[in-house]
Amino acid sequence: MVRQAGPARARPLWVVCALGLLAGSMIAGLLDGAADISPWQVVLQMADWLPFVHVDSGLAPVEQGLLFELRLPRVLVAAVVGGLLAMAGAGYQGVFRNPLADPYLLGAAAGAGLATTAAIVLLPSVSGSIPVAAFIGAVGGVFLAYTLGSTAGRAGGTATLVLAGVAVTSFLTAIQTFIQQFKVEELQRVYSWILGDVGGGWDQFWLVLPYAAVSSVLLLLHGRMLDVLSVGDEEAGSLGVRAARVRLTVLLAASLATAAAVAVSGLIGFVGIVIPHVVRRLAGGSYRVVLPLSMIGGAAFLVLGDLVARTVIAPAELPIGVVTMFVGAPFFVAVLRVTRRAAT
């Protein structure tokens, strides 16, 4: 009885802490940047945007435009993309029962990247082609990785699927590079997109929002079912849970989340493995906890990562994908070592 009550009491605390971290990171993202704007003036200007509140911030029109048209949408896009990637990673890990599963490592991001590159290069005039292409590519990449990993059976241990994902990612990246050669003039645009960018403004935010809403709701609603699947398909079936249907739904929702994130921000790696793993370590392994906390934690992580990207070498900017790789690559090695130690 004590063990069951403990997590129930701790859950609201972790949610409050995660929301506090997200709020703090978003405030920091609005207050800091390459342009020198007084934090107090930023606070006053944000208050002036509230309904029925009229405050003179003292900001010039140019500074107001910088805050509202550049910083605010950038912070919101980073939050949405980070939340999507972290939730997708948690969803993939629940479906495949593998703590190393990740949109970037499972071929989902590479598939979405290949399809998006093809849409940019081959279908530049087709409106709305990028989100659709990214979703098809994400599903196709995961399907190839899962099929390849399944052929090896269980002999390879928990890393088999990840190795298959790495192979599929390399293959799809090679095709992506080949497609880029059709239009050399698009290389700069594609290259900037590959390294990650959340500075596309309000258009980027409104583009990703509906896909984010659908995929997030689907994943959050399946948290309890992923917990049931973790005990095995036979036990889940005895409880009335259709394992195949749950896996397919979660897989499609996670792929939609990955595709939406990739379509607007490019290839940003390691968010989907770092955040869910940290959440499990801190708040337990139940997906009813892991999924929402991963969404909030991923949002805060990417907002802070973007803040680092645009301030560390200001007035120039680092691609945000570089920042996440600096953090995620060592973390992935540590997770891999822990997983191998547990397997032996």
Side-chain angles (χ1 to χ4, degrees):
M1 295 297 293
V2 175
R3 289 186 178 182
Q4 293 176 356
R9 290 196 300 266
R11 197 171 301 162
L13 175 62
W14 285 117
V15 172
V16 170
C17 291
L19 289 174
L21 176 62
L22 176 58
S25 65
M26 295 182 72
I27 292 172
L30 289 173
L31 295 181
D32 202 0
D36 187 15
I37 301 178
S38 167
W40 178 243
Q41 288 180 306
V42 173
V43 172
L44 291 178
Q45 185 61 54
M46 296 299 295
D48 187 56
W49 287 334
L50 297 174
F52 311 109
V53 177
H54 301 285
V55 181
D56 183 13
S57 65
L59 290 178
V62 173
E63 294 172 324
Q64 293 181 24
L66 184 148
L67 184 62
F68 185 71
E69 298 297 333
L70 294 179
R71 285 192 187 176
L72 180 58
R74 183 163 186 157
V75 166
L76 292 176
V77 170
V80 173
V81 169
L84 287 177
L85 291 175
M87 281 190 71
Y92 285 133
Q93 290 160 19
V95 167
F96 298 117
R97 301 178 192 171
N98 191 328
L100 299 176
D102 166 79
Y104 195 79
L105 297 172
L106 274 181
L114 169 60
T116 303
T117 300
I120 292 174
V121 174
L122 304 178
L123 302 171
S125 61
V126 179
S127 177
S129 61
I130 290 181
V132 176
F135 175 68
I136 295 173
V139 174
V142 174
F143 177 77
L144 287 175
Y146 182 70
T147 302
L148 181 60
S150 298
T151 59
R154 299 181 179 179
T158 59
T160 302
L161 181 61
V162 175
L163 294 176
V166 170
V168 169
T169 297
S170 300
F171 177 70
L172 296 179
T173 303
I175 299 177
Q176 179 181 353
T177 304
F178 175 76
I179 291 177
Q180 291 172 17
Q181 308 310 310
F182 283 101
K183 286 193 176 181
V184 179
E185 63 271 17
E186 295 284 357
L187 282 179
Q188 182 62 43
R189 179 184 174 192
V190 173
Y191 183 69
S192 299
W193 174 84
I194 288 174
L195 292 178
D197 179 28
V198 292
W202 288 109
D203 289 342
Q204 204 177 35
F205 175 73
W206 294 120
L207 175 63
V208 73
L209 192 60
Y211 303 99
V214 173
S215 57
S216 298
V217 169
L218 285 174
L219 287 170
L220 290 174
L221 289 177
H222 283 78
R224 185 187 68 83
M225 296 183 185
L226 286 176
D227 286 339
V228 175
L229 288 185
S230 65
V231 301
D233 288 1
E234 293 184 3
E235 290 82 355
S238 66
L239 295 174
V241 175
R242 298 182 179 181
R245 178 179 295 181
V246 172
R247 285 199 175 90
L248 178 61
T249 302
V250 174
L251 183 62
L252 290 177
S255 297
L256 177 61
T258 301
V262 169
V264 299
S265 66
L267 301 178
I268 300 175
F270 294 109
V271 179
I273 191 171
V274 171
I275 302 304
H277 188 80
V278 171
V279 168
R280 285 193 190 88
R281 289 284 181 175
L282 294 177
S286 171
Y287 283 95
R288 286 175 290 180
V289 177
V290 171
L291 285 169
L293 288 185
S294 293
M295 178 179 64
I296 300 171
F301 174 75
L302 205 61
V303 170
L304 291 175
D306 181 58
L307 179 60
V308 172
R310 57 190 167 94
T311 57
V312 68
I313 58 171
E317 290 187 11
L318 278 175
I320 190 171
V322 174
V323 176
T324 60
M325 287 180 186
F326 268 120
V327 176
F331 191 93
F332 173 73
V333 173
V335 174
L336 183 60
R337 288 174 62 89
V338 170
T339 304
R340 289 184 60 187
R341 196 178 302 127
T344 55

